[in-house]
Amino acid sequence: GQNIDQPTEMTATEGAIVQINCTYQTSGFNGLFWYQQHAGEAPTFLSYNVLDGLEEKGRFSSFLSRSKGYSYLLLKELQMKDSASYLCAVRTNAGKSTFGDGTTLTVKP
Amino acid sequence: DTGVSQDPRHKITKRGQNVTFRCDPISEHNRLYWYRQTLGQGPEFLTYFQNEAQLEKSRLLSDRFSAERPKGSFSTLEIQRTEQGDSAMYLCASSDSANQPQHFGDGTRLSIL
């Protein structure tokens, strides 16, 4: 089976930088995805990593270390609209994805 | 491309009734996934299709749940003899290959009275 761990809640200040960590244990790893989900809405895709290293996409970056079973999502220049749940999902070779329970980020003025 | 569409958006039914949800994926996406999500939890995998073939079904699903994708386009998820514990948001997602991110619909919120 797969085990995915993320912090339940985080708080940060508008304009700051926040890092959301995700650790996982899986067999047949084939990619790690980050999604954003606002309350009452569907998850929307943010970023994904298949190889080790950093992927940058505007204010969002994601990092992966396959040997450590570790990823993080970095959000820069935080805005109030970034308050949401951030979901880490691990995909296996079979194409199936397993999601963590999400990290609820609250951005304060 | 209008995105993934799910119908209905909300469903309220009495315990013991059968319900059916529909998902229309992004056109030409050959992979379609069903998830269930409850408050404070991440989406929980239920099943997925590649074209019309159902490739995997979660062991957590009881026999009351069944899904179909008869022509490899839209899919239906049926829950028979609903129970209180079935109350959740049912999410559908699609992708154009196993290596691409999934795009989610807005979900169907099921409430069992």
Side-chain angles (χ1 to χ4, degrees), chain A residues 30 33 35 37 40 42-43 45 48 87 91 94-97 99-102, chain B residues 31 33 35 37 40-43 45 48 56 91 98-102 104-106:
Chain A
N30 193 24
F33 294 78
Y35 289 82
Q37 187 175 27
F45 168 71
Y48 90 105
L87 300 163
R91 183 183 63 203
K96 169 188 164 183
S97 290
F99 285 77
D101 285 335
Chain B
R31 289 198 168 224
Y33 304 80
Y35 295 89
Q37 188 176 27
Q41 307 290 314
F45 171 79
Y48 85 101
E56 188 172 343
L91 293 165
N99 297 323
Q100 294 300 313
Q102 296 172 27
F104 284 82
D106 288 333

PDB file of all heavy atoms in Angstrom, chain A residues 30 33 35 37 40 42-43 45 48 87 91 94-97 99-102, chain B residues 31 33 35 37 40-43 45 48 56 91 98-102 104-106:
ATOM      1  N   ASN A  30       5.843   6.574  -9.685  1.00  0.00           N
ATOM      2  CA  ASN A  30       5.881   7.087 -11.053  1.00  0.00           C
ATOM      3  C   ASN A  30       5.439   8.548 -11.105  1.00  0.00           C
ATOM      4  O   ASN A  30       4.838   8.965 -12.089  1.00  0.00           O
ATOM      5  CB  ASN A  30       5.015   6.224 -11.977  1.00  0.00           C
ATOM      6  CG  ASN A  30       5.273   6.526 -13.447  1.00  0.00           C
ATOM      7  OD1 ASN A  30       6.339   7.004 -13.811  1.00  0.00           O
ATOM      8  ND2 ASN A  30       4.287   6.275 -14.279  1.00  0.00           N
ATOM      9  N   PHE A  33       2.354  14.584  -7.512  1.00  0.00           N
ATOM     10  CA  PHE A  33       1.562  15.727  -7.963  1.00  0.00           C
ATOM     11  C   PHE A  33       1.150  16.590  -6.775  1.00  0.00           C
ATOM     12  O   PHE A  33       0.915  16.071  -5.674  1.00  0.00           O
ATOM     13  CB  PHE A  33       0.284  15.249  -8.667  1.00  0.00           C
ATOM     14  CG  PHE A  33       0.530  14.516  -9.945  1.00  0.00           C
ATOM     15  CD1 PHE A  33       0.938  13.197  -9.944  1.00  0.00           C
ATOM     16  CD2 PHE A  33       0.348  15.140 -11.167  1.00  0.00           C
ATOM     17  CE1 PHE A  33       1.164  12.511 -11.134  1.00  0.00           C
ATOM     18  CE2 PHE A  33       0.557  14.462 -12.362  1.00  0.00           C
ATOM     19  CZ  PHE A  33       0.965  13.155 -12.346  1.00  0.00           C
ATOM     20  N   TYR A  35      -1.866  19.457  -5.811  1.00  0.00           N
ATOM     21  CA  TYR A  35      -3.119  20.070  -6.212  1.00  0.00           C
ATOM     22  C   TYR A  35      -3.513  21.098  -5.153  1.00  0.00           C
ATOM     23  O   TYR A  35      -3.205  20.953  -3.967  1.00  0.00           O
ATOM     24  CB  TYR A  35      -4.242  19.029  -6.304  1.00  0.00           C
ATOM     25  CG  TYR A  35      -4.121  18.073  -7.464  1.00  0.00           C
ATOM     26  CD1 TYR A  35      -3.299  16.951  -7.391  1.00  0.00           C
ATOM     27  CD2 TYR A  35      -4.832  18.283  -8.645  1.00  0.00           C
ATOM     28  CE1 TYR A  35      -3.189  16.073  -8.451  1.00  0.00           C
ATOM     29  CE2 TYR A  35      -4.727  17.409  -9.710  1.00  0.00           C
ATOM     30  CZ  TYR A  35      -3.902  16.304  -9.601  1.00  0.00           C
ATOM     31  OH  TYR A  35      -3.791  15.435 -10.658  1.00  0.00           O
ATOM     32  N   GLN A  37      -6.936  22.943  -3.493  1.00  0.00           N
ATOM     33  CA  GLN A  37      -8.391  22.776  -3.395  1.00  0.00           C
ATOM     34  C   GLN A  37      -8.968  23.821  -2.453  1.00  0.00           C
ATOM     35  O   GLN A  37      -8.690  23.816  -1.254  1.00  0.00           O
ATOM     36  CB  GLN A  37      -8.741  21.370  -2.908  1.00  0.00           C
ATOM     37  CG  GLN A  37     -10.236  21.071  -2.936  1.00  0.00           C
ATOM     38  CD  GLN A  37     -10.579  19.634  -2.578  1.00  0.00           C
ATOM     39  OE1 GLN A  37      -9.846  18.970  -1.843  1.00  0.00           O
ATOM     40  NE2 GLN A  37     -11.691  19.136  -3.094  1.00  0.00           N
ATOM     41  N   GLY A  40     -15.108  23.554  -0.863  1.00  0.00           N
ATOM     42  CA  GLY A  40     -16.299  23.352  -1.676  1.00  0.00           C
ATOM     43  C   GLY A  40     -16.046  23.240  -3.168  1.00  0.00           C
ATOM     44  O   GLY A  40     -16.994  23.138  -3.952  1.00  0.00           O
ATOM     45  N   ALA A  42     -13.447  21.675  -6.572  1.00  0.00           N
ATOM     46  CA  ALA A  42     -12.650  20.523  -6.994  1.00  0.00           C
ATOM     47  C   ALA A  42     -11.160  20.844  -6.894  1.00  0.00           C
ATOM     48  O   ALA A  42     -10.759  22.006  -6.967  1.00  0.00           O
ATOM     49  CB  ALA A  42     -13.006  20.154  -8.429  1.00  0.00           C
ATOM     50  N   PRO A  43     -10.314  19.833  -6.753  1.00  0.00           N
ATOM     51  CA  PRO A  43      -8.865  20.066  -6.783  1.00  0.00           C
ATOM     52  C   PRO A  43      -8.426  20.554  -8.154  1.00  0.00           C
ATOM     53  O   PRO A  43      -8.949  20.106  -9.182  1.00  0.00           O
ATOM     54  CB  PRO A  43      -8.275  18.671  -6.502  1.00  0.00           C
ATOM     55  CG  PRO A  43      -9.375  17.884  -5.879  1.00  0.00           C
ATOM     56  CD  PRO A  43     -10.638  18.418  -6.467  1.00  0.00           C
ATOM     57  N   PHE A  45      -4.870  21.210 -10.542  1.00  0.00           N
ATOM     58  CA  PHE A  45      -3.475  20.803 -10.666  1.00  0.00           C
ATOM     59  C   PHE A  45      -2.535  22.007 -10.536  1.00  0.00           C
ATOM     60  O   PHE A  45      -2.757  23.063 -11.118  1.00  0.00           O
ATOM     61  CB  PHE A  45      -3.276  20.133 -12.023  1.00  0.00           C
ATOM     62  CG  PHE A  45      -1.835  19.927 -12.402  1.00  0.00           C
ATOM     63  CD1 PHE A  45      -1.066  18.981 -11.755  1.00  0.00           C
ATOM     64  CD2 PHE A  45      -1.268  20.679 -13.411  1.00  0.00           C
ATOM     65  CE1 PHE A  45       0.257  18.793 -12.105  1.00  0.00           C
ATOM     66  CE2 PHE A  45       0.051  20.500 -13.776  1.00  0.00           C
ATOM     67  CZ  PHE A  45       0.826  19.550 -13.116  1.00  0.00           C
ATOM     68  N   TYR A  48       3.969  18.971 -10.886  1.00  0.00           N
ATOM     69  CA  TYR A  48       4.325  17.597 -10.638  1.00  0.00           C
ATOM     70  C   TYR A  48       5.802  17.334 -10.912  1.00  0.00           C
ATOM     71  O   TYR A  48       6.437  18.040 -11.702  1.00  0.00           O
ATOM     72  CB  TYR A  48       3.435  16.621 -11.392  1.00  0.00           C
ATOM     73  CG  TYR A  48       3.856  16.204 -12.775  1.00  0.00           C
ATOM     74  CD1 TYR A  48       4.398  14.941 -12.996  1.00  0.00           C
ATOM     75  CD2 TYR A  48       3.640  17.030 -13.868  1.00  0.00           C
ATOM     76  CE1 TYR A  48       4.731  14.529 -14.274  1.00  0.00           C
ATOM     77  CE2 TYR A  48       3.977  16.622 -15.142  1.00  0.00           C
ATOM     78  CZ  TYR A  48       4.509  15.372 -15.356  1.00  0.00           C
ATOM     79  OH  TYR A  48       4.842  14.954 -16.615  1.00  0.00           O
ATOM     80  N   LEU A  87      -2.960  19.442  -1.647  1.00  0.00           N
ATOM     81  CA  LEU A  87      -2.964  17.979  -1.641  1.00  0.00           C
ATOM     82  C   LEU A  87      -1.738  17.441  -2.360  1.00  0.00           C
ATOM     83  O   LEU A  87      -1.433  17.856  -3.480  1.00  0.00           O
ATOM     84  CB  LEU A  87      -4.220  17.454  -2.356  1.00  0.00           C
ATOM     85  CG  LEU A  87      -5.566  17.869  -1.779  1.00  0.00           C
ATOM     86  CD1 LEU A  87      -6.678  17.645  -2.801  1.00  0.00           C
ATOM     87  CD2 LEU A  87      -5.863  17.061  -0.528  1.00  0.00           C
ATOM     88  N   ARG A  91       1.643   8.899  -7.686  1.00  0.00           N
ATOM     89  CA  ARG A  91       1.160   8.027  -8.764  1.00  0.00           C
ATOM     90  C   ARG A  91       2.088   6.822  -8.879  1.00  0.00           C
ATOM     91  O   ARG A  91       3.308   6.954  -8.735  1.00  0.00           O
ATOM     92  CB  ARG A  91       1.148   8.787 -10.084  1.00  0.00           C
ATOM     93  CG  ARG A  91       0.588   7.996 -11.257  1.00  0.00           C
ATOM     94  CD  ARG A  91       0.689   8.808 -12.528  1.00  0.00           C
ATOM     95  NE  ARG A  91       2.080   9.086 -12.858  1.00  0.00           N
ATOM     96  CZ  ARG A  91       2.467  10.101 -13.621  1.00  0.00           C
ATOM     97  NH1 ARG A  91       1.587  10.936 -14.122  1.00  0.00           N
ATOM     98  NH2 ARG A  91       3.747  10.287 -13.882  1.00  0.00           N
ATOM     99  N   ALA A  94       1.129   1.744 -12.291  1.00  0.00           N
ATOM    100  CA  ALA A  94      -0.165   1.298 -12.805  1.00  0.00           C
ATOM    101  C   ALA A  94      -1.050   2.472 -13.214  1.00  0.00           C
ATOM    102  O   ALA A  94      -2.109   2.272 -13.796  1.00  0.00           O
ATOM    103  CB  ALA A  94      -0.870   0.455 -11.757  1.00  0.00           C
ATOM    104  N   GLY A  95      -0.615   3.697 -12.896  1.00  0.00           N
ATOM    105  CA  GLY A  95      -1.397   4.870 -13.281  1.00  0.00           C
ATOM    106  C   GLY A  95      -2.343   5.365 -12.222  1.00  0.00           C
ATOM    107  O   GLY A  95      -2.980   6.400 -12.376  1.00  0.00           O
ATOM    108  N   LYS A  96      -2.445   4.638 -11.109  1.00  0.00           N
ATOM    109  CA  LYS A  96      -3.344   5.040 -10.031  1.00  0.00           C
ATOM    110  C   LYS A  96      -2.655   6.070  -9.141  1.00  0.00           C
ATOM    111  O   LYS A  96      -1.460   5.979  -8.888  1.00  0.00           O
ATOM    112  CB  LYS A  96      -3.716   3.793  -9.228  1.00  0.00           C
ATOM    113  CG  LYS A  96      -4.422   4.040  -7.924  1.00  0.00           C
ATOM    114  CD  LYS A  96      -4.554   2.731  -7.168  1.00  0.00           C
ATOM    115  CE  LYS A  96      -4.895   2.964  -5.721  1.00  0.00           C
ATOM    116  NZ  LYS A  96      -4.950   1.705  -4.961  1.00  0.00           N
ATOM    117  N   SER A  97      -3.414   7.059  -8.650  1.00  0.00           N
ATOM    118  CA  SER A  97      -2.879   8.077  -7.737  1.00  0.00           C
ATOM    119  C   SER A  97      -3.514   7.961  -6.365  1.00  0.00           C
ATOM    120  O   SER A  97      -4.723   7.754  -6.248  1.00  0.00           O
ATOM    121  CB  SER A  97      -3.146   9.484  -8.286  1.00  0.00           C
ATOM    122  OG  SER A  97      -2.356   9.745  -9.420  1.00  0.00           O
ATOM    123  N   PHE A  99      -3.893  10.057  -2.736  1.00  0.00           N
ATOM    124  CA  PHE A  99      -3.793  11.407  -2.203  1.00  0.00           C
ATOM    125  C   PHE A  99      -3.544  11.401  -0.705  1.00  0.00           C
ATOM    126  O   PHE A  99      -4.068  10.539   0.024  1.00  0.00           O
ATOM    127  CB  PHE A  99      -5.099  12.179  -2.468  1.00  0.00           C
ATOM    128  CG  PHE A  99      -5.265  12.624  -3.887  1.00  0.00           C
ATOM    129  CD1 PHE A  99      -5.655  11.737  -4.868  1.00  0.00           C
ATOM    130  CD2 PHE A  99      -5.023  13.942  -4.243  1.00  0.00           C
ATOM    131  CE1 PHE A  99      -5.805  12.143  -6.185  1.00  0.00           C
ATOM    132  CE2 PHE A  99      -5.178  14.367  -5.553  1.00  0.00           C
ATOM    133  CZ  PHE A  99      -5.563  13.474  -6.528  1.00  0.00           C
ATOM    134  N   GLY A 100      -2.779  12.398  -0.241  1.00  0.00           N
ATOM    135  CA  GLY A 100      -2.707  12.669   1.179  1.00  0.00           C
ATOM    136  C   GLY A 100      -3.976  13.390   1.614  1.00  0.00           C
ATOM    137  O   GLY A 100      -4.825  13.730   0.784  1.00  0.00           O
ATOM    138  N   ASP A 101      -4.092  13.641   2.916  1.00  0.00           N
ATOM    139  CA  ASP A 101      -5.295  14.285   3.436  1.00  0.00           C
ATOM    140  C   ASP A 101      -5.279  15.803   3.295  1.00  0.00           C
ATOM    141  O   ASP A 101      -6.237  16.473   3.658  1.00  0.00           O
ATOM    142  CB  ASP A 101      -5.512  13.906   4.894  1.00  0.00           C
ATOM    143  CG  ASP A 101      -6.025  12.476   5.023  1.00  0.00           C
ATOM    144  OD1 ASP A 101      -6.631  11.979   4.063  1.00  0.00           O
ATOM    145  OD2 ASP A 101      -5.803  11.855   6.085  1.00  0.00           O
ATOM    146  N   GLY A 102      -4.172  16.345   2.762  1.00  0.00           N
ATOM    147  CA  GLY A 102      -4.127  17.766   2.497  1.00  0.00           C
ATOM    148  C   GLY A 102      -3.616  18.599   3.657  1.00  0.00           C
ATOM    149  O   GLY A 102      -3.731  18.207   4.822  1.00  0.00           O
TER     150      GLY A 102
ATOM    151  N   ARG B  31      -8.319   8.213 -19.972  1.00  0.00           N
ATOM    152  CA  ARG B  31      -8.351   7.706 -18.596  1.00  0.00           C
ATOM    153  C   ARG B  31      -9.388   8.477 -17.790  1.00  0.00           C
ATOM    154  O   ARG B  31      -9.437   9.708 -17.852  1.00  0.00           O
ATOM    155  CB  ARG B  31      -6.982   7.825 -17.950  1.00  0.00           C
ATOM    156  CG  ARG B  31      -6.002   6.828 -18.549  1.00  0.00           C
ATOM    157  CD  ARG B  31      -4.800   6.625 -17.673  1.00  0.00           C
ATOM    158  NE  ARG B  31      -4.042   5.462 -18.160  1.00  0.00           N
ATOM    159  CZ  ARG B  31      -3.551   4.536 -17.374  1.00  0.00           C
ATOM    160  NH1 ARG B  31      -3.706   4.618 -16.072  1.00  0.00           N
ATOM    161  NH2 ARG B  31      -2.874   3.519 -17.882  1.00  0.00           N
ATOM    162  N   TYR B  33     -11.216   8.570 -13.788  1.00  0.00           N
ATOM    163  CA  TYR B  33     -11.048   8.127 -12.400  1.00  0.00           C
ATOM    164  C   TYR B  33     -12.256   8.576 -11.570  1.00  0.00           C
ATOM    165  O   TYR B  33     -12.798   9.663 -11.777  1.00  0.00           O
ATOM    166  CB  TYR B  33      -9.800   8.767 -11.775  1.00  0.00           C
ATOM    167  CG  TYR B  33      -8.517   8.530 -12.530  1.00  0.00           C
ATOM    168  CD1 TYR B  33      -8.197   9.283 -13.657  1.00  0.00           C
ATOM    169  CD2 TYR B  33      -7.603   7.569 -12.103  1.00  0.00           C
ATOM    170  CE1 TYR B  33      -7.010   9.090 -14.346  1.00  0.00           C
ATOM    171  CE2 TYR B  33      -6.400   7.366 -12.791  1.00  0.00           C
ATOM    172  CZ  TYR B  33      -6.119   8.127 -13.916  1.00  0.00           C
ATOM    173  OH  TYR B  33      -4.946   7.923 -14.582  1.00  0.00           O
ATOM    174  N   TYR B  35     -13.303   9.182  -7.452  1.00  0.00           N
ATOM    175  CA  TYR B  35     -12.813   9.310  -6.082  1.00  0.00           C
ATOM    176  C   TYR B  35     -13.993   9.674  -5.180  1.00  0.00           C
ATOM    177  O   TYR B  35     -15.004  10.207  -5.629  1.00  0.00           O
ATOM    178  CB  TYR B  35     -11.783  10.437  -5.963  1.00  0.00           C
ATOM    179  CG  TYR B  35     -10.492  10.220  -6.719  1.00  0.00           C
ATOM    180  CD1 TYR B  35     -10.360  10.629  -8.039  1.00  0.00           C
ATOM    181  CD2 TYR B  35      -9.394   9.630  -6.091  1.00  0.00           C
ATOM    182  CE1 TYR B  35      -9.167  10.450  -8.732  1.00  0.00           C
ATOM    183  CE2 TYR B  35      -8.193   9.447  -6.771  1.00  0.00           C
ATOM    184  CZ  TYR B  35      -8.092   9.862  -8.086  1.00  0.00           C
ATOM    185  OH  TYR B  35      -6.907   9.682  -8.751  1.00  0.00           O
ATOM    186  N   GLN B  37     -14.593  11.832  -1.473  1.00  0.00           N
ATOM    187  CA  GLN B  37     -13.921  12.721  -0.519  1.00  0.00           C
ATOM    188  C   GLN B  37     -14.873  13.144   0.584  1.00  0.00           C
ATOM    189  O   GLN B  37     -15.995  13.580   0.312  1.00  0.00           O
ATOM    190  CB  GLN B  37     -13.370  13.963  -1.240  1.00  0.00           C
ATOM    191  CG  GLN B  37     -12.497  14.843  -0.342  1.00  0.00           C
ATOM    192  CD  GLN B  37     -11.876  16.000  -1.090  1.00  0.00           C
ATOM    193  OE1 GLN B  37     -12.406  16.482  -2.083  1.00  0.00           O
ATOM    194  NE2 GLN B  37     -10.721  16.460  -0.628  1.00  0.00           N
ATOM    195  N   GLY B  40     -12.203  17.124   5.398  1.00  0.00           N
ATOM    196  CA  GLY B  40     -10.922  17.002   6.084  1.00  0.00           C
ATOM    197  C   GLY B  40     -10.034  15.888   5.581  1.00  0.00           C
ATOM    198  O   GLY B  40      -8.948  15.668   6.115  1.00  0.00           O
ATOM    199  N   GLN B  41     -10.506  15.180   4.565  1.00  0.00           N
ATOM    200  CA  GLN B  41      -9.721  14.078   3.997  1.00  0.00           C
ATOM    201  C   GLN B  41      -9.373  14.383   2.539  1.00  0.00           C
ATOM    202  O   GLN B  41     -10.039  15.191   1.886  1.00  0.00           O
ATOM    203  CB  GLN B  41     -10.530  12.774   4.036  1.00  0.00           C
ATOM    204  CG  GLN B  41     -11.082  12.410   5.395  1.00  0.00           C
ATOM    205  CD  GLN B  41     -10.001  11.989   6.357  1.00  0.00           C
ATOM    206  OE1 GLN B  41      -9.139  11.203   6.006  1.00  0.00           O
ATOM    207  NE2 GLN B  41     -10.037  12.505   7.567  1.00  0.00           N
ATOM    208  N   GLY B  42      -8.335  13.715   2.034  1.00  0.00           N
ATOM    209  CA  GLY B  42      -8.035  13.828   0.622  1.00  0.00           C
ATOM    210  C   GLY B  42      -8.935  12.919  -0.188  1.00  0.00           C
ATOM    211  O   GLY B  42      -9.639  12.068   0.368  1.00  0.00           O
ATOM    212  N   PRO B  43      -8.973  13.095  -1.497  1.00  0.00           N
ATOM    213  CA  PRO B  43      -9.765  12.194  -2.345  1.00  0.00           C
ATOM    214  C   PRO B  43      -9.303  10.747  -2.171  1.00  0.00           C
ATOM    215  O   PRO B  43      -8.106  10.469  -2.190  1.00  0.00           O
ATOM    216  CB  PRO B  43      -9.484  12.702  -3.763  1.00  0.00           C
ATOM    217  CG  PRO B  43      -9.077  14.128  -3.592  1.00  0.00           C
ATOM    218  CD  PRO B  43      -8.335  14.159  -2.284  1.00  0.00           C
ATOM    219  N   PHE B  45      -9.350   6.988  -3.675  1.00  0.00           N
ATOM    220  CA  PHE B  45      -9.518   6.295  -4.956  1.00  0.00           C
ATOM    221  C   PHE B  45     -10.618   5.240  -4.879  1.00  0.00           C
ATOM    222  O   PHE B  45     -10.671   4.448  -3.941  1.00  0.00           O
ATOM    223  CB  PHE B  45      -8.196   5.630  -5.343  1.00  0.00           C
ATOM    224  CG  PHE B  45      -8.280   4.717  -6.525  1.00  0.00           C
ATOM    225  CD1 PHE B  45      -8.291   5.232  -7.816  1.00  0.00           C
ATOM    226  CD2 PHE B  45      -8.368   3.340  -6.365  1.00  0.00           C
ATOM    227  CE1 PHE B  45      -8.371   4.390  -8.907  1.00  0.00           C
ATOM    228  CE2 PHE B  45      -8.445   2.487  -7.451  1.00  0.00           C
ATOM    229  CZ  PHE B  45      -8.444   3.018  -8.735  1.00  0.00           C
ATOM    230  N   TYR B  48     -10.791   3.193 -11.718  1.00  0.00           N
ATOM    231  CA  TYR B  48     -10.449   3.956 -12.902  1.00  0.00           C
ATOM    232  C   TYR B  48     -10.526   3.112 -14.166  1.00  0.00           C
ATOM    233  O   TYR B  48     -10.481   1.882 -14.121  1.00  0.00           O
ATOM    234  CB  TYR B  48      -9.097   4.662 -12.763  1.00  0.00           C
ATOM    235  CG  TYR B  48      -7.853   3.867 -13.099  1.00  0.00           C
ATOM    236  CD1 TYR B  48      -7.215   4.040 -14.326  1.00  0.00           C
ATOM    237  CD2 TYR B  48      -7.277   3.024 -12.167  1.00  0.00           C
ATOM    238  CE1 TYR B  48      -6.046   3.359 -14.624  1.00  0.00           C
ATOM    239  CE2 TYR B  48      -6.118   2.333 -12.450  1.00  0.00           C
ATOM    240  CZ  TYR B  48      -5.494   2.505 -13.668  1.00  0.00           C
ATOM    241  OH  TYR B  48      -4.342   1.828 -13.956  1.00  0.00           O
ATOM    242  N   GLU B  56      -8.882  -1.016 -12.423  1.00  0.00           N
ATOM    243  CA  GLU B  56      -8.694  -1.285 -11.004  1.00  0.00           C
ATOM    244  C   GLU B  56      -9.881  -0.765 -10.217  1.00  0.00           C
ATOM    245  O   GLU B  56     -10.478   0.244 -10.568  1.00  0.00           O
ATOM    246  CB  GLU B  56      -7.414  -0.636 -10.489  1.00  0.00           C
ATOM    247  CG  GLU B  56      -7.057  -1.041  -9.061  1.00  0.00           C
ATOM    248  CD  GLU B  56      -5.688  -0.561  -8.618  1.00  0.00           C
ATOM    249  OE1 GLU B  56      -4.873  -0.200  -9.482  1.00  0.00           O
ATOM    250  OE2 GLU B  56      -5.438  -0.553  -7.409  1.00  0.00           O
ATOM    251  N   LEU B  91     -16.007  12.591  -6.714  1.00  0.00           N
ATOM    252  CA  LEU B  91     -15.251  13.341  -7.710  1.00  0.00           C
ATOM    253  C   LEU B  91     -14.863  12.449  -8.881  1.00  0.00           C
ATOM    254  O   LEU B  91     -14.484  11.295  -8.695  1.00  0.00           O
ATOM    255  CB  LEU B  91     -13.959  13.908  -7.099  1.00  0.00           C
ATOM    256  CG  LEU B  91     -14.117  14.989  -6.040  1.00  0.00           C
ATOM    257  CD1 LEU B  91     -12.809  15.176  -5.280  1.00  0.00           C
ATOM    258  CD2 LEU B  91     -14.548  16.301  -6.665  1.00  0.00           C
ATOM    259  N   ALA B  98      -1.374   8.058 -18.676  1.00  0.00           N
ATOM    260  CA  ALA B  98      -0.993   7.754 -17.291  1.00  0.00           C
ATOM    261  C   ALA B  98       0.047   8.735 -16.784  1.00  0.00           C
ATOM    262  O   ALA B  98       0.231   8.873 -15.581  1.00  0.00           O
ATOM    263  CB  ALA B  98      -0.465   6.326 -17.206  1.00  0.00           C
ATOM    264  N   ASN B  99       0.729   9.434 -17.685  1.00  0.00           N
ATOM    265  CA  ASN B  99       1.825  10.304 -17.270  1.00  0.00           C
ATOM    266  C   ASN B  99       1.410  11.762 -17.126  1.00  0.00           C
ATOM    267  O   ASN B  99       2.237  12.605 -16.822  1.00  0.00           O
ATOM    268  CB  ASN B  99       2.976  10.211 -18.271  1.00  0.00           C
ATOM    269  CG  ASN B  99       3.555   8.821 -18.329  1.00  0.00           C
ATOM    270  OD1 ASN B  99       3.653   8.152 -17.307  1.00  0.00           O
ATOM    271  ND2 ASN B  99       3.901   8.367 -19.513  1.00  0.00           N
ATOM    272  N   GLN B 100       0.156  12.067 -17.368  1.00  0.00           N
ATOM    273  CA  GLN B 100      -0.303  13.444 -17.305  1.00  0.00           C
ATOM    274  C   GLN B 100      -1.161  13.691 -16.060  1.00  0.00           C
ATOM    275  O   GLN B 100      -1.764  12.765 -15.521  1.00  0.00           O
ATOM    276  CB  GLN B 100      -1.110  13.787 -18.562  1.00  0.00           C
ATOM    277  CG  GLN B 100      -0.261  13.785 -19.823  1.00  0.00           C
ATOM    278  CD  GLN B 100       0.869  14.783 -19.747  1.00  0.00           C
ATOM    279  OE1 GLN B 100       0.677  15.930 -19.364  1.00  0.00           O
ATOM    280  NE2 GLN B 100       2.066  14.338 -20.085  1.00  0.00           N
ATOM    281  N   PRO B 101      -1.229  14.939 -15.596  1.00  0.00           N
ATOM    282  CA  PRO B 101      -2.046  15.223 -14.403  1.00  0.00           C
ATOM    283  C   PRO B 101      -3.526  14.983 -14.672  1.00  0.00           C
ATOM    284  O   PRO B 101      -3.980  15.035 -15.810  1.00  0.00           O
ATOM    285  CB  PRO B 101      -1.772  16.699 -14.128  1.00  0.00           C
ATOM    286  CG  PRO B 101      -1.265  17.256 -15.400  1.00  0.00           C
ATOM    287  CD  PRO B 101      -0.549  16.147 -16.095  1.00  0.00           C
ATOM    288  N   GLN B 102      -4.254  14.723 -13.611  1.00  0.00           N
ATOM    289  CA  GLN B 102      -5.687  14.517 -13.714  1.00  0.00           C
ATOM    290  C   GLN B 102      -6.405  15.851 -13.574  1.00  0.00           C
ATOM    291  O   GLN B 102      -6.006  16.712 -12.792  1.00  0.00           O
ATOM    292  CB  GLN B 102      -6.144  13.560 -12.611  1.00  0.00           C
ATOM    293  CG  GLN B 102      -5.536  12.178 -12.751  1.00  0.00           C
ATOM    294  CD  GLN B 102      -5.825  11.290 -11.568  1.00  0.00           C
ATOM    295  OE1 GLN B 102      -6.813  11.455 -10.879  1.00  0.00           O
ATOM    296  NE2 GLN B 102      -4.960  10.314 -11.340  1.00  0.00           N
ATOM    297  N   PHE B 104     -10.030  17.486 -12.596  1.00  0.00           N
ATOM    298  CA  PHE B 104     -11.205  17.102 -11.830  1.00  0.00           C
ATOM    299  C   PHE B 104     -12.452  17.857 -12.241  1.00  0.00           C
ATOM    300  O   PHE B 104     -12.390  19.043 -12.633  1.00  0.00           O
ATOM    301  CB  PHE B 104     -10.969  17.366 -10.338  1.00  0.00           C
ATOM    302  CG  PHE B 104     -10.079  16.359  -9.679  1.00  0.00           C
ATOM    303  CD1 PHE B 104      -8.702  16.455  -9.762  1.00  0.00           C
ATOM    304  CD2 PHE B 104     -10.621  15.293  -8.973  1.00  0.00           C
ATOM    305  CE1 PHE B 104      -7.875  15.515  -9.164  1.00  0.00           C
ATOM    306  CE2 PHE B 104      -9.809  14.349  -8.359  1.00  0.00           C
ATOM    307  CZ  PHE B 104      -8.432  14.459  -8.460  1.00  0.00           C
ATOM    308  N   GLY B 105     -13.590  17.172 -12.108  1.00  0.00           N
ATOM    309  CA  GLY B 105     -14.877  17.841 -12.204  1.00  0.00           C
ATOM    310  C   GLY B 105     -15.233  18.467 -10.865  1.00  0.00           C
ATOM    311  O   GLY B 105     -14.494  18.307  -9.879  1.00  0.00           O
ATOM    312  N   ASP B 106     -16.385  19.165 -10.819  1.00  0.00           N
ATOM    313  CA  ASP B 106     -16.791  19.845  -9.594  1.00  0.00           C
ATOM    314  C   ASP B 106     -17.409  18.903  -8.559  1.00  0.00           C
ATOM    315  O   ASP B 106     -17.687  19.329  -7.442  1.00  0.00           O
ATOM    316  CB  ASP B 106     -17.775  20.968  -9.917  1.00  0.00           C
ATOM    317  CG  ASP B 106     -17.094  22.141 -10.591  1.00  0.00           C
ATOM    318  OD1 ASP B 106     -15.879  22.336 -10.358  1.00  0.00           O
ATOM    319  OD2 ASP B 106     -17.762  22.868 -11.343  1.00  0.00           O
TER     320      ASP B 106
END
